Amino acid sequence: MAADKKEVLLIGPLKPVVVNGLEAACTLHKLAAAADRDAFIADHADVRAIACSATTEKIPGSLMARFPKLQLVSSFGVGYDHMDVKWAAAHGVILTNTPNVLTEEVADTALGLLLCTVRELPQAENYLRAGKWRSGDYPLSKASLRNRTVGMVGMGAIGQAIARRLDAMGVPVVYHTRQKRPELSYRHYPQLLDMARDVDILLVIVPGGAATANMVNAEVLDALGPEGILINMARGSVVDEPALIRALQEKRILSAGLDVFAKEPNVPQELIAMDNVVLFPHLGSASAFTRAKMDQLIVDNILAWAAGKPPLTPVQETPWRSWDEV
Ligand code: 8YV
């Protein structure tokens, strides 16, 4: 019955899976369609659930505070550094993300970026397209995966999916996390610097946010050394971008493959000008197949809430106990 429909505020792009999925069961208020964003928020201050359809939409505490009855923010993306988790935890708001459904896709993309960077595949393709092959072969790639160990910075679900792929390719894997994962047989490094000294590829796949900000800094890059390759599949914030640019320019590391940047979609001109980097426009999960699953999970978390059931994928900082009153 229409009268029973829950009110939901949608922040972010009007994606068909999200809009259709939510409109089937809820009354949806679309912030993206509002002429005056501020007035629209004030008019809908009573909503108890928000859907957020893009990680580019920031959800600070000051925004959540404008909805005094807020119980749930169901967001797109496995990463949730765009939301103020501390505020939500302190105010009893459950945040949900979209893990699991993108794990294998992001791992596939990571392998693609790794191979492109190590074997210079985009550069070689450009060489062919520019008609240069007729005058001679593309130079041998400076690096190979055959004589290298990959040091994973982060070893969550996506990190492990990447490591499984590297296992199959016969590439040794080690990892750095704050806590050792006893269930894994890969060598664990408690200190990132020690691992950077021992390996020649760092593959970054940790959550963004304050705890990991700039953890790959000039010191880590110098420990990686002149044969070193950095692959970042996580968040731009994890790497000190100006330090990385300097290390690449001064050949203190060999090359980098980057799917993420500090100020997306703005990519520093210095990186664009370099031929020893491979740059992807944040492609990790970006297939129609996987994005539809992520969008559906935004909807399914809201539908669970609307039915008074536990959310499917609350983030660990805001575990679900009960919806006092839905
Ligand atoms: C998206 C991601 O590509 O899920 C995440 O956290 O980073 C990716 O799946 C990204 O959110 C697009 O902006």
Side-chain angles (χ1 to χ4, degrees), residues 55-122:
T55 54
T56 44
E57 293 287 340
K58 302 278 172 250
I59 310 284
S62 56
L63 177 61
M64 290 186 270
R66 297 185 69 183
F67 305 94
K69 298 179 182 167
L70 189 62
Q71 297 182 317
L72 169 71
V73 181
S74 169
S75 178
F76 174 81
V78 64
Y80 48 94
D81 47 316
H82 59 293
M83 301 195 275
D84 189 338
V85 184
K86 263 196 192 154
W87 191 96
H91 292 83
V93 174
I94 303 284
L95 305 181
T96 62
N97 62 344
T98 59
N100 313 325
V101 292
L102 49 48
T103 301
E104 302 301 328
E105 193 79 72
V106 178
D108 289 348
T109 311
L111 258 293
L113 181 56
L114 176 66
L115 283 170
C116 282
T117 310
V118 171
R119 295 298 319 284
E120 306 170 21
L121 304 179

Side-chain angles (χ1 to χ4, degrees), residues 42 60 68 105 116 184 198 219 227 236 263 278 286 292:
E105 193 79 72
C116 282
L184 300 179
D198 284 1
E219 207 184 354
E227 299 300 314
K263 293 197 179 88
V278 175

Side-chain angles (χ1 to χ4, degrees), residues 13 21 66 128-129 157 214 237 258 268 275 317:
R66 297 185 69 183
L128 178 152
R129 286 179 187 273
N214 285 341
S237 60
L258 307 173
D275 57 9
E317 295 88 340

Side-chain angles (χ1 to χ4, degrees), residues 12 33 38 51 53 56 69-70 73 101 123 142 145 152 161 181 189 206 212 217 232 246-247 250 276 288:
D38 233 35
S53 57
T56 44
K69 298 179 182 167
L70 189 62
V73 181
V101 292
Q123 295 94 321
K142 288 174 252 346
L145 270 185
M152 306 285 304
R181 290 181 165 265
Y189 283 81
V206 281
T212 57
N217 56 20
N232 189 3
R246 280 194 299 278
E250 294 163 11
N276 57 337

